[in-house]
Amino acid sequence: MSSMEVLLLQKKIADYPERIDKMQKRYGMIMAPRSSEISSAIKGLNSYMLQLKVNRGSFAKLKQEIDQDVARLQALEGNLDRTKELSESIRLSVVQVMHAKATTETYLASIDAQIDGAVTAKEKLELAQKQKKTVDVINLLTMIQNGDGYKL
């Protein structure tokens, strides 16, 4: 790898904190849904999960790029026969890229946990919706049987 390629790689690595910061801000804008009705809560959870999946995809793509750069840097560091100054610069880049990797892994784990929680909540809401419909039908049949009318 030429020194120009090393400089381009280091420039790309130096941009990771800014990219992560932008993704963190976008991730922070996702609001958990709130609703007083089951059907609207399910719709809100679907939207919430979609937003989480989009953000997860962004972090996963960045992590993949970082993993490739880590491999390139480690190979370069192992094969380096140049000056100590360049070697030190590459070691600093390795530290910087490892920090970016740890940050993306943390966010991926957090998003995965939120998606799992949302899926569980959605399943519970769908079950509650089915149970509510069953109870409503039973109440309606009871009212019809008693002659109380059709109001629930």
Side-chain angles (χ1 to χ4, degrees):
M1 195 181 259
S2 72
S3 63
M4 185 62 158
E5 291 176 38
V6 171
L7 288 175
L8 288 174
L9 182 60
Q10 288 176 327
K11 186 174 180 178
K12 180 181 175 187
I13 291 168
D15 189 45
Y16 284 149
E18 185 180 333
R19 289 175 64 190
I20 290 172
D21 185 52
K22 287 178 183 177
M23 289 192 307
Q24 287 172 331
K25 287 178 182 174
R26 188 174 67 204
Y27 172 66
M29 291 174 32
I30 299 174
M31 299 299 240
R34 296 173 191 224
S35 179
S36 59
E37 294 184 14
I38 293 174
S39 61
S40 60
I42 291 172
K43 288 177 186 176
L45 274 173
N46 285 332
S47 173
Y48 177 68
M49 288 189 301
L50 180 63
Q51 291 173 356
L52 286 174
K53 288 176 183 176
V54 166
N55 274 278
R56 189 196 186 292
S58 297
F59 278 105
K61 182 180 176 184
L62 182 61
K63 184 184 176 297
Q64 187 178 23
E65 286 180 39
I66 291 171
D67 288 340
Q68 291 171 353
D69 291 342
V70 166
R72 289 172 63 192
L73 276 174
Q74 288 174 341
L76 181 65
E77 190 177 31
N79 297 332
L80 195 60
D81 292 334
R82 296 185 188 214
T83 65
K84 185 175 180 164
E85 183 179 313
L86 183 57
S87 178
E88 184 65 26
S89 173
I90 290 175
R91 280 192 212 107
L92 290 173
S93 293
V94 169
V95 169
Q96 192 174 18
V97 78
M98 294 304 265
H99 180 267
K101 181 179 179 180
T103 302
T104 56
E105 288 173 347
T106 301
Y107 272 90
L108 284 171
S110 174
I111 292 171
D112 286 340
Q114 284 182 297
I115 289 172
D116 290 343
V119 166
T120 302
K122 182 181 172 190
E123 289 170 354
K124 288 180 180 180
L125 283 170
E126 288 172 342
L127 181 62
Q129 188 176 32
K130 288 177 186 175
Q131 290 173 343
K132 183 181 181 305
K133 287 179 181 177
T134 303
V135 169
D136 287 345
V137 169
I138 291 171
N139 287 340
L140 181 61
L141 290 174
T142 303
M143 286 180 186
I144 292 171
Q145 210 172 22
N146 294 337
D148 293 338
Y150 298 101
K151 296 181 182 175
L152 292 177

